[in-house]
Each structure stands twice: as structure tokens, then as C-alpha cells.
Amino acid sequence: MAPSSSQWQALGGEAVEAVLRSGAVALLDADWVVKQADAGGILKRRQDLPSEAFITLDELKEIGAIPATPNWSASLPIIVVSCEGAQGVEHRSPPVWAFPVNARALPFVPDPWLEPDHPDSKGQWLRLVGIALRMWMDPGATGASSKARRNGIMWDFPSLHQHPPGGERSELEDNLFKQALGSLANFYSHPAIAVFKLTCFPEGYPQGYTLVTAGANVKDYPDRGWTFTESCWASMSKPRDLTLDLGLLNVDALASFSFPRVGLVKQCTQGGGRLPPPLPADFARLIEDKSFTNGKDDRPLVVRLYAEAFERNMGQASTLDYSDLKWGDDESRQVRSLLPSASGLKSLSMTGNAIHYDEATQLANAVLAVPTLESFGGIPIAGLRADRLIVLRIKSTSLGMAEALVLSALLEDAPSVTECNVRGKGLDSASASLLSKVAVAKGILLFGIKHDQAEAKYPNRKLTPVDLILIGSDLRVGASLTSIDLRGNKLGVEGWTTIF
């Protein structure tokens, strides 16, 4: 087996092979899409596109996978752009997107059609997707070879068989369309396929578009049955950087980022870019209030497809990365409800979210009750429980109260640990104080001071209140320490009291 084919297989590419081989779904060539966007083109329905617009399954398998880097996750070389067959009228402010950058990988983009017969008759969605793709595939950030820059895009209008103007699909086309419809969850929920969500309408919409009132789905993105379903699929088990809300993209603000892709992910994953997936029973209840053009057939279909995808993805998930999404207590409660379904879960991250003490306590208890979990927010649960660690190194740079509660509980029962440096890990004063109590009782150093260290020097370091709590803890533990230099830090009376 060629290395590229084994990479494809390792990331689960076989999950989408059947509909690609049968012709039910045809993937656009990403470079072709970007060129069309640059040229001000308009997408045509699948049956009207030239052969050079597409990329084959064999070509994708030859590429294999887009490798992981320290900044983002590995992904398959497929990009899915999905449109719901309806039009919208109400909309929120458009994103700021106006200049060419560069991009790459396997994004899927669910978005509402802007007119009943065409999703993007003026090419505005195409232009936004082109900008995002160029940022995603930026070779300066990804090190992408020319081969790796060839990716497949699934966008329903040019990827699935469509009705001709004023007519109907052929019997063969209709059968293939139904096969494709049943496979959508395999694309949206795939843990190695990125999803780009178009949640804002273009500037000026709906002026200049042909709208209808009878039978049209005129709901916003989150209130439409198909886009809501697609968004829930996309939120299941993907790494945090593979579900992006392009409605949050502000190109003007990207100049502060070294690489366009880093800025794209940072902007489009926070403050509404993603929510936890609902349980199947909750999804079935929520979908009752969503709008479908053909609700009689579509609603029971998506309920079944969602339940199947949820059971498959959550049951197979070994890692759930829900970090840095600006989630709160409600989202944390939803994550807790998912844990019993994740029977093979080994790693969970919720760092960088705003979870208050009461809910953080509930989350910590739920985390500690998962028998398969080996890591939480970079805390090595398995290593601590097996008492294999003396010096504990935590990879995460953003420990919140939930992580502090889990860590303190584990340290209570880890007799071999003598050092656990949490300096610069984003703790707040309450979390630092919690860890300090355990550390002093167990003789564990928290600020990086060593047990045999005689002098500690931290002059002009702009020490924070959290630093002072951790230093004070270490002073109570480090028996060899005879002097500490804190000159140049504005500690004040309260700061000195905290330390001594």
C-alpha cells in the first residue's frame, strides 16, 4: 500500500468512498474553485460543469492526507461546501471579506441558498469560500506541496445532481441524488473533514435577487432544518480547528497574524463558531421547530441520519477538543451529557472556556468518572493515577477551574509527584489558591522552584497576583530555599502578605 493511501485509510477516508465511486457525489478541484472565485465566476449545476472542474477519488487517495502541524490537525484532502435548497430573507450583518490571501485542507461549508433555483447566482458565496480556501491552503503556513494543494470540495449544487431549469432530474440522476442525500452525515460529521459554515448573507441581500414567498424557506441559518442539522453534525467529534464559521471572518483584522490560516481559524472558531452536539433525543425535539421546504420527508430523514452519525462518531471518538470556544456553563452541561456516549474517549479538552465554579465542579466530577479518560486539558490523568510521575509537565497553557479541580484531586492521590509547574498556565487566583492548598499539604512545588534550590531570582518580572500565590506556596514547601529576589515588582502590602 502506498504511503498516501495508508494515510487516507488511517484518517477514515473509506467512509466517503462509496458515494464518490458510484458518482452520487462529485468533488470539485479546490484550485479550480479558487480560480473561478478570482475570475468573478458563477458556479453551475453539476451536470453543466466541465470535467476539469472535478477531482477524482483516485487522485484524492494519491494525495492521502494533509499532515498535522503544531498549529492544526491532520485532515483528509476533501472540502465540502453544502447548500440548503432554499432561500433566506432575514439575515445578520455580513462578514468583512475583501482581499485575496491563500489556504488548504478539507473544509465543508453549509450555507443557505440565496435564491430558489441557485445558491449563489451573483458569486458572492463563491468569493467568500475562495478567500477562505486561499487562507486555509497558504503554502507559507502549511508547507504544502503542489500535490497537497489539490483538494476536493463538496458543494451540493455542483456536486450533487440537480434539476434542470423548469424540468426534473432523470431517474438515474434522482437515484444518485437520494444516495448522496443519505451520505451527507458521513461528510459533515467526519472527524477529519473540515466544515466551513456560511452563517451571514452577502452585503445588500436580498436586493437584486429573485425571491419568492410561496413555499420558500425564509428562516435564518440556525432556524433552517438542513443547516441546523449540518451544523450539529459538524460539531460532534472534529478537532476545534475543523469547524469554522465564516460569518465571523474579518479579513481586515488578519494583518496581525503571521499566517493567514492561523487568523482564519482563530476568528472563525470563537464566539459562536461552534456549539456542543445535542443528544439524539434532544436533536429530535429541537428539529421540530426548524423550517424545511419539504418537512414531511426531510425531518424524519435527518432525525435518523443524525442518530446514526452521533452513535458512530461519539462511540469511536478517542479525542474531543472543545478548547478556546468561549463556551460557558450551558455548553459545559451539554458536554457532560455527551460523556456516557463516548465509550472510547481518551482525551478531552475544555480549556479556554468561561466555566464558573459550580459547573466546573460538576464537570470535574464527570471527567474523573470516565474510566477510559487518559488526559483532560493536558493533565495526564492516567499517569497520575498509575503514580508514574515525579515531575509533572502539563502541556496546556490555559488551565481553568475545572482543570484545577481535576488536577488537585489527582495530586491528592499521587504520592510520587514532587513538582508540578503551573506557572504561566492561565490560572486565576481561585484556581491557584485551590492548587496551593494541596501542594503545601503534599510537598509539591508549583512555580518552578526546585527542592534543592537555595536562591530564587525574579526581579522586574511583572509578577501577577497568581504568581504571588504560587511563589508563596513554593516558599512553604521548598525547605532548601534561603533567599528570593523580588525587586522591581510592584507587590504592595497585599502582595507581600500573599507570599509570606
Side-chain angles (χ1 to χ4, degrees), residues 113-142:
W113 284 27
L114 300 178
E115 294 177 307
D117 296 324
H118 198 288
D120 186 27
S121 62
K122 299 184 184 300
Q124 300 216 52
W125 282 151
L126 177 60
R127 177 167 161 251
L128 174 56
V129 170
I131 289 172
L133 290 181
R134 286 191 297 270
M135 288 187 280
W136 188 260
M137 296 187 294
D138 176 27
T142 63

Side-chain angles (χ1 to χ4, degrees), residues 397-401 403-405 407 421-433 435-436 446 464-467 470:
T397 59
S398 181
L399 299 179
M401 178 55 75
E403 289 77 24
L405 286 164
L407 181 57
N421 190 346
V422 291
R423 179 183 180 184
K425 299 296 184 181
L427 293 168
D428 60 16
S429 295
S431 301
S433 297
L435 287 173
S436 175
L446 298 178
T464 68
V466 169
D467 292 330
L470 299 178

